[in-house]
Amino acid sequence: MKVGEGLGDKLMSPGEAVGRLVKDGDLVALGGFTVSRNPMLLVREIIRQGIKDLHLAVHSQGQALDLLVGAGCVSRLELAYAGTGRFAPTAIRFRRAVEQGQLQVEDYSNQHMSLRFLAGALGLPFMPCRSGLGSDVLNKQGFDPGLRGQGHIPPHKAIVSQNPFSREEDPVVLLPALTPDVTLLHAQYVGDDGTVRIKGLTFLDLEQARAASRVIVSCEEIVPAAHLRADPDQNSLPPFLVDAVVHAPYGAHPTACPYFYDYDPRHLSLYRQQAQSDQAFGEYLRQWVMDLPGQEAYLAQVGIEDIMRIKANSVLGYAPGLDRR
Amino acid sequence: MSERYTDKEMMALAAGRLVKDGDVLFAGTGLSMLAATVARRVHAPRAVVFFETGGIDPSLEELPLAVADPRVMVGTAMNSGLIDAFSLLAHRRLNTIAFLGAAQIDPYGNINSTCLGDYHHPKVRFPGCGGACDAASLAAGVILFMQHDRRRFVEKVDYVSSVGWLTGGDSRRRAGLKRGGPIAVVTNLGVLRFDDESKRMYLAEHYPGVTPQEVAEHTGFALDIGRGQEAAPPSQRELDTLRQEVDPDRLILGPPPA
């Protein structure tokens, strides 16, 4: 039996997965975190298919968010943070889009977004917390008030309420649940039954997947399910939560995929340069997204030298001594 | 004559000195990583570092450049995710100290990492509060990093991304935050602290070669400099640890002293 055959209809090409499961106007959650495990291959496919008017919901996202925003696929964004650490302390196309008023943005904190996805996963309408009391994250609304209660936008950004279990004054923040239409993740392993195994930190990927109506997982390797089920403590998501599996070696490049490859400092620096101007960014999109039919062509363009440079040490999970200047 | 050192080296060491042995440190990237790592190696070996991404007590053999860097996932006590990290941040048994930086700060340690100008039509957009808002709300204490500049130390920040002492006095408690608040602001000129009663910022230490007047001139609001003491210069051990063990490639420290 060929590896992946057991997945049946769930095993899809990037084009099939995105074409069938991502629609114009969808509320989309992106997994990963700043420079790690961004679902880059899936995002490039969304851009190639010209999907528009997306409503993105993320905690701290970097490269995938910036590429989607820069390509004009996003109309509304709920986020805590947009950047890639030292490579782009503020995600560059995101910054430009916000400063030019091209994007409706609502700011939350990382804990807020975490609890909102967790509420969605648990089937709860809201979740309480104390983070942000007294701050403008709660005092200021980003979305046009006229949009509140429409589409995927809850009627209130957040509500500060009295803790019903306390006799003393005790304000708590109530946050509306998030239930994405589709969550996009990149994992290291998927079993040929659909079991997902994420190595390293899982960030918020599991809650984002559990909260979603549809889940697309791209992965470095599809492996026999028996291998994953022999050590189930290591597994992250059960097969029945996964709607599509895309075999995507280096599918998170230029962000890292622990134990497979590090982030690519040269590509992230190249991106930083090209993202500065509309013209150069257009060239980046043409060269690295539109004109490349598939992952093989993309990787050929990255080149064997950089592929080898970022190859992770299989014990440490990153590329020791990688030149990151 | 003692060895020369850079502003960044002094900042990392001044912040590191604020760490107590046994503290549980919520670290970001950049200087906070250096401060936490140097403190562990010099005087606080039982201090532990964790990241909002879920990496708990990593070995940090190589310096991470982001909190999601694979280097925060190695040699850890455990790897987890955001929900787990936030349950440590707010844990009532732990003295969690968070290191945060920002674009603007006001006299009460409220910080802005969201935008300059009007929120709806910003002149400059920054990344957003990320986990800083959570750390500022929930940790047992916060140490802030700032470049000392009149445009950054302002009477009123354009957007309160993460709360400090709000409007001073007991306003933070009254807003519903049970603990925490900023302990100190570490800048390239000195260390500022907050008055026990009013919660307004004052100069606690100015670095060797910096006068209290210079600190006041670089601050965009009235700053009490009467309590300022000169900080001890870096010791040889501190400098050696920082340069040889913590950031040998100077990824965060930048150029060496001229």
Side-chain angles (χ1 to χ4, degrees):
Chain A
M1 184 169 128
K2 280 197 292 190
V3 167
E5 211 168 69
L7 285 166
D9 293 349
K10 281 190 189 177
L11 182 63
M12 296 186 201
S13 69
E16 287 171 328
V18 168
R20 289 186 201 170
L21 299 176
V22 185
K23 311 280 177 230
D24 288 352
D26 270 357
L27 176 57
V28 175
L30 300 175
F33 199 105
T34 61
V35 293
S36 270
R37 285 195 305 94
N38 285 208
M40 296 306 300
L41 173 135
L42 295 176
V43 157
R44 287 194 297 270
E45 183 60 31
I46 287 175
I47 296 168
R48 270 195 293 271
Q49 292 197 16
I51 295 174
K52 294 283 180 243
D53 195 32
L54 294 177
H55 178 154
L56 281 192
V58 300
H59 40 96
S60 290
Q61 241 289 339
Q63 201 62 16
L65 162 86
D66 208 44
L67 204 56
L68 273 180
V69 167
C73 301
V74 181
S75 300
R76 287 163 301 283
L77 171 62
E78 300 182 56
L79 85 165
Y81 182 95
T84 51
R86 216 199 44 181
F87 297 101
T90 303
I92 298 163
R93 300 310 296 181
F94 156 80
R95 173 180 168 172
R96 192 174 186 84
V98 177
E99 289 173 2
Q100 295 184 345
Q102 294 164 350
L103 192 60
Q104 286 256 341
V105 176
E106 195 69 273
D107 279 274
Y108 288 93
S109 74
N110 272 339
Q111 188 183 49
H112 292 159
M113 294 305 285
S114 301
L115 293 175
R116 296 183 66 202
F117 282 114
L118 180 61
L122 292 172
L124 297 174
F126 62 87
M127 195 70 89
C129 78
R130 287 206 170 90
S131 181
L133 286 166
S135 75
D136 285 338
V137 179
L138 297 180
N139 292 337
K140 293 194 177 172
Q141 305 253 342
F143 285 159
D144 183 339
L147 294 174
R148 286 268 157 218
Q150 292 182 29
H152 298 292
I153 302 176
H156 302 281
K157 177 179 182 180
I159 294 171
V160 177
S161 180
Q162 164 66 19
N163 171 6
F165 292 99
S166 175
R167 291 201 177 91
E168 288 153 28
E169 191 179 325
D170 185 18
V172 290
V173 183
L174 308 182
L175 297 157
L178 267 169
T179 48
D181 293 311
V182 58
T183 288
L184 311 178
L185 304 181
H186 185 75
Q188 285 89 348
Y189 303 103
V190 176
D192 56 12
D193 63 347
T195 303
V196 177
R197 178 177 290 180
I198 293 172
K199 298 292 289 176
L201 302 178
T202 49
F203 309 127
L204 202 63
D205 287 20
L206 313 187
E207 291 80 7
Q208 289 177 300
R210 291 170 187 142
S213 303
R214 306 184 288 278
V215 177
I216 305 178
V217 181
S218 61
C219 63
E220 294 296 323
E221 291 185 356
I222 295 171
V223 298
H227 170 74
L228 300 187
R229 285 172 179 257
D231 191 7
D233 296 0
Q234 301 291 319
N235 296 341
S236 309
L237 290 169
F240 48 83
L241 286 183
V242 177
D243 298 280
V245 175
V246 176
H247 185 216
Y250 285 87
H253 180 274
T255 69
C257 186
Y259 298 96
F260 281 82
Y261 45 93
D262 217 320
Y263 45 83
D264 185 341
R266 295 220 309 196
H267 194 96
L268 290 170
S269 297
L270 171 103
Y271 180 84
R272 178 176 53 205
Q273 285 169 10
Q274 293 210 233
Q276 300 294 345
S277 81
D278 292 350
Q279 195 190 343
F281 181 73
E283 184 60 21
Y284 180 93
L285 278 182
R286 190 188 63 72
Q287 200 181 345
W288 290 96
V289 182
M290 304 311 287
D291 284 359
L292 294 177
Q295 185 70 346
E296 288 78 8
Y298 176 87
L299 292 175
Q301 192 161 294
V302 172
I304 191 66
E305 193 184 323
D306 284 351
I307 295 285
M308 293 305 292
R309 192 191 297 268
I310 62 172
K311 183 182 181 303
N313 178 292
S314 66
V315 174
L316 294 171
Y318 58 88
L322 175 65
D323 185 352
R324 295 182 287 151
R325 284 171 296 179
Chain B
M1 192 183 129
S2 63
E3 193 164 349
R4 298 166 76 92
Y5 50 87
T6 67
D7 284 355
K8 278 197 173 168
E9 288 172 336
M10 187 69 214
M11 286 176 80
L13 294 172
R17 289 170 183 173
L18 298 170
V19 172
K20 296 190 190 73
D21 204 14
D23 280 351
V24 178
L25 306 170
F26 177 96
T29 50
L31 278 172
S32 72
M33 207 87 76
L34 298 184
T37 314
V38 80
R40 268 161 53 113
R41 292 182 190 231
V42 172
H43 72 275
R46 290 182 303 123
V48 293
V49 177
F50 77 104
F51 296 90
E52 63 185 300
T53 44
I56 297 165
D57 195 16
S59 58
L60 297 178
E61 291 296 320
E62 277 195 21
L63 210 52
L65 292 184
V67 296
D69 193 310
R71 289 157 189 78
V72 309
M73 310 177 190
V74 181
T76 53
M78 64 175 292
N79 279 344
S80 59
L82 272 74
I83 299 280
D84 309 76
F86 286 126
S87 63
L88 290 186
L89 178 68
H91 203 291
R92 65 193 183 283
R93 282 177 54 195
L94 303 177
N95 195 51
T96 45
I97 303 296
F99 289 106
L100 306 175
Q104 285 183 319
I105 188 166
D106 75 10
Y108 298 101
N110 303 299
I111 57 173
N112 173 14
S113 52
T114 303
C115 62
L116 292 183
D118 176 57
Y119 176 57
H120 296 97
H121 306 281
K123 274 189 295 201
V124 181
R125 172 70 206 206
F126 298 122
C129 66
C133 172
D134 310 312
S137 301
L138 305 172
V142 170
I143 295 168
L144 297 155
F145 285 107
M146 294 292 301
Q147 280 296 311
H148 218 129
D149 180 328
R150 293 183 72 87
R151 288 167 305 170
R152 290 172 174 266
F153 282 72
V154 293
E155 193 64 51
K156 191 176 185 313
V157 296
D158 291 358
Y159 182 100
V160 179
S161 311
S162 307
V163 296
W165 295 110
L166 280 172
T167 54
D170 66 349
S171 58
R172 179 184 168 92
R173 297 286 178 274
R174 279 190 284 111
L177 297 169
K178 305 292 177 190
R179 67 171 189 177
I183 298 166
V185 186
V186 176
T187 83
N188 49 314
L189 299 179
V191 177
L192 305 121
R193 287 181 176 267
F194 297 87
D195 183 81
D196 286 343
E197 291 294 316
S198 72
K199 303 299 184 191
R200 194 179 163 96
M201 199 186 293
Y202 68 90
L203 177 65
E205 293 179 34
H206 51 96
Y207 298 149
V210 176
T211 66
Q213 287 72 23
E214 279 176 71
V215 179
E217 284 162 18
H218 284 82
T219 305
F221 50 80
L223 182 71
D224 171 9
I225 56 172
R227 288 179 261 183
Q229 308 276 322
E230 184 165 297
S235 71
Q236 197 61 50
R237 175 158 181 232
E238 285 177 322
L239 279 180
D240 288 349
T241 305
L242 187 62
R243 292 171 178 173
Q244 289 160 29
E245 297 176 29
V246 177
D247 188 9
D249 298 329
R250 303 193 73 89
L251 290 172
I252 294 169
L253 286 175

